[in-house]
Amino acid sequence: SFIMPSSFSLVPQVVPRSEMPASSAWLSSGFQMATIMGPAVAGLLYAASGAAVAWLMPVGLTATALLSLLLLSPAPRRYQSEQRGEPAIESIKAGWRFLWHHPVLLSIMALDMFAVLFGGAVAMLPAYADQVLQTDASGLGLLRAAPAVGAIITALALALLPMRTIRGTTLMLVITGFGLCMIGFGLSTVFWLSALLLLVGGAFDSVSMVIRSTVFQLLTPAAMRGRVSAVNSMFIISSNEIGAFYSGVMARFLGLVPGIIVGGVGTLVVVAIAALRAPNLRRMKIETRDITP
């Protein structure tokens, strides 16, 4: 709750605006690497040395992160707001007012929220691996890792070859690709094809994540970044959890495979509605080459 708005506000203070697409890609790839490596390393430590040593790892890494923050140069601190003690309710209202008057950002946030909500098929992987693909725990592990692997590869590519033109149509296309991958995953009964579809879906999601993060950074003024990020993070976190719940409910009432397919179709419907109802997002075009540091 505190880290996401704080880090979102800190990044533009240490990264030139012209390098924001590459920065977003590096941050995304680092997050995905941690998603894979964290559980793997913890499992190895737990097996080798027990629970106490495994639990020391996050404590040590958190302490290292805190030390790294303390060693940052003092330059970003001059951007600290002169206002003090603004009530939390007023901050929330200010964030909502800003988003409400900037339809592109509001459309991006809504598109991401509903796309993730309907496309939460990953939550059903344990049941799908057992009942449909009939694979064991190692197969489930590979399926769980596939989206992150696709996201890492794509994010690294975007970090080395950053996008110089960001379009709203590109965002819609990659979310459409994500929805199609979820539909294909629901229809697949072959392990390697299911893993490939999850990997490609993770790649599409990575492009979407980089675009969304970059646009929010570039179009949000410094004084509003923390509040806008706080509102955005509420939707990101809740959509993941509610999406997992939605996938379980659909699987319960429609069946495992139909529930996943319906979710993918729902993602496509959300993109179609955004294309029709959000012309500002459809026409959005940002040339990062023209942005001065």
Side-chain angles (χ1 to χ4, degrees):
S1 299
F2 289 98
I3 289 176
M4 291 183 68
S6 300
S7 60
F8 183 84
S9 302
L10 178 63
V11 168
Q13 299 176 19
V14 295
V15 176
R17 287 172 60 83
S18 58
E19 299 299 325
M20 199 60 66
S23 170
S24 297
W26 280 116
L27 289 171
S28 176
S29 61
F31 173 80
Q32 295 294 345
M33 287 181 184
T35 300
I36 294 178
M37 294 173 60
V41 173
L44 292 173
L45 286 175
Y46 186 93
S49 305
V53 175
W55 279 107
L56 283 175
M57 182 184 72
V59 174
L61 291 176
T62 302
T64 303
L66 177 60
L67 178 61
S68 300
L69 288 173
L70 294 176
L71 293 177
L72 284 174
S73 66
R77 300 175 191 274
R78 68 171 179 266
Y79 294 95
Q80 190 174 16
S81 173
E82 295 298 327
Q83 298 181 356
R84 296 292 185 272
E86 183 182 42
I89 298 297
E90 293 302 318
S91 294
I92 294 173
K93 289 181 179 178
W96 273 111
R97 281 195 298 268
F98 177 83
L99 287 170
W100 193 255
H101 290 91
H102 291 77
V104 170
L105 297 180
L106 187 63
S107 298
I108 291 174
M109 188 174 68
L111 180 60
D112 173 54
M113 180 185 70
F114 287 108
V116 171
L117 191 152
F118 288 117
V122 176
M124 304 310 298
L125 278 181
Y128 195 86
D130 177 56
Q131 298 177 23
V132 178
L133 300 180
Q134 297 179 349
T135 185
D136 56 10
S138 59
L140 173 60
L142 290 173
L143 292 173
R144 290 293 298 266
V149 171
I152 289 172
I153 295 173
T154 305
L156 288 175
L158 292 175
L160 297 174
L161 299 170
M163 291 180 289
R164 295 308 180 189
T165 301
I166 299 175
R167 291 182 172 89
T169 52
T170 304
L171 178 62
M172 294 181 184
L173 286 173
V174 295
I175 295 179
T176 299
F178 174 79
L180 291 173
C181 285
M182 293 303 100
I183 295 173
F185 174 76
L187 294 172
S188 173
T189 58
V190 181
F191 177 83
W192 68 265
L193 179 59
S194 299
L196 178 62
L197 287 167
L198 289 174
L199 186 145
V200 176
F204 281 128
D205 188 49
S206 179
V207 177
S208 170
M209 185 184 303
V210 171
I211 291 176
R212 288 183 281 108
S213 176
T214 303
V215 171
F216 266 84
Q217 290 284 12
L218 296 178
L219 299 186
T220 305
M224 294 300 301
R225 285 196 183 106
R227 283 168 278 193
V228 170
S229 176
V231 173
N232 189 37
S233 64
M234 287 168 55
F235 282 88
I236 293 175
I237 296 171
S238 62
S239 61
N240 281 294
E241 305 303 330
I242 297 174
F245 174 73
Y246 164 84
S247 297
V249 172
M250 290 296 101
R252 172 67 178 84
F253 289 101
L254 300 179
L256 182 59
V257 171
I260 293 174
I261 295 174
V262 168
V265 172
T267 300
L268 301 184
V269 171
V270 168
V271 176
I273 293 174
L276 293 173
R277 304 291 295 176
N280 291 327
L281 176 60
R282 191 174 63 248
R283 293 192 294 264
M284 184 191 74
K285 181 180 179 181
I286 301 175
E287 295 286 350
T288 60
R289 300 180 186 88
D290 301 332
I291 298 175
T292 57

